[in-house]
Amino acid sequence: MTQSSTTADAGAPLAQGGTGIRIDGLTKTFAASRGRSVTALHDTDLHTDQGSFLALLGPSGCGKSTILRILADLETPTTGQVRVDGKTPHELRASGELGIAFQDHALLPWRSVRSNIRLPFEVARRPVDDAYIDELIALVGLQGFEKSRPAQLSGGMRQRVSIARALAL
Ligand code: ADP
Ligand code: MG
């Protein structure tokens, strides 16, 4: 994303305390082979409203995954500011408010559907909310498959387990 892309209130002041996603002046440079570097994001702005759905579209390699990985605290910006509801990605992740459904579903193959969706509770050492897990399984249309392992599911079903797991906390 070598151009600034801004939805809604262009030119709004820097994000602290606002709601939704507030990305301002985000640049990410990766070290590449033979001492070269790749600028995946250059001075990118992105503002969304709380509760909105956002899709990033663009050609392969334009920086979509990098922006998501920075939002998810899996990469750090080279420069720029990133806030979600006024919090940094690190703060969001630390407080368990962030869910990620990875492009490759990243399910644990030895665990059942239900057990994969329980995982975020276990990792966060929170009491497992079984009623909510039932709701999530219904939400993604996987009733009847609670005891199935990922290898017994279609690719789309695995992705739906991954989405339910991302929503668990
Ligand atoms: P997209 O998801 O839009 O296809 P990416 O965000 O994955 O693109 O990648 C954007 C650019 O950054 C690409 O040129 C890619 O090669 C580079 N890139 C992404 N991650 C790394 C990394 N960890 N190290 C080096 N270069 C990277
Ligand atoms: Mg990608």
Side-chain angles (χ1 to χ4, degrees), residues 1 28 30-32 38-41 58-67 69 75 103:
M1 293 191 187
K28 177 68 183 179
F30 291 104
V38 174
T39 298
L41 298 166
S60 179
C62 77
K64 305 178 297 293
S65 292
T66 300
I67 220 167
R69 290 176 61 79
E75 296 281 0
Q103 197 159 359

Side-chain angles (χ1 to χ4, degrees), residues 36-113:
R36 292 175 308 160
S37 64
V38 174
T39 298
L41 298 166
H42 175 71
D43 197 18
T44 298
D45 299 337
L46 180 71
H47 299 166
T48 71
D49 294 328
Q50 192 176 38
S52 61
F53 286 83
L54 173 72
L56 299 178
L57 301 177
S60 179
C62 77
K64 305 178 297 293
S65 292
T66 300
I67 220 167
L68 293 175
R69 290 176 61 79
I70 288 171
L71 279 165
D73 194 34
L74 299 172
E75 296 281 0
T76 51
T78 305
T79 60
Q81 181 173 274
V82 178
R83 295 287 184 277
V84 181
D85 293 346
K87 296 180 185 171
T88 65
H90 185 73
E91 288 167 340
L92 274 184
R93 188 149 78 104
S95 60
E97 290 172 89
L98 183 95
I100 308 169
F102 287 97
Q103 197 159 359
D104 57 345
H105 53 79
L107 300 176
L108 299 181
W110 60 88
R111 283 190 168 221
S112 67
V113 165

Side-chain angles (χ1 to χ4, degrees), residues 113-124:
V113 165
R114 166 170 282 280
S115 178
N116 265 288
I117 299 172
R118 284 170 67 108
L119 188 66
F121 289 97
E122 296 171 21
V123 170

Side-chain angles (χ1 to χ4, degrees), residues 117 132-143 160 163-165 167-168:
I117 299 172
Y132 185 50
I133 290 179
D134 286 335
E135 271 179 50
L136 288 171
I137 288 170
L139 178 73
V140 298
L142 287 175
Q143 299 107 314
R160 284 186 270 145
I163 290 167
R165 185 181 59 181
L167 294 173

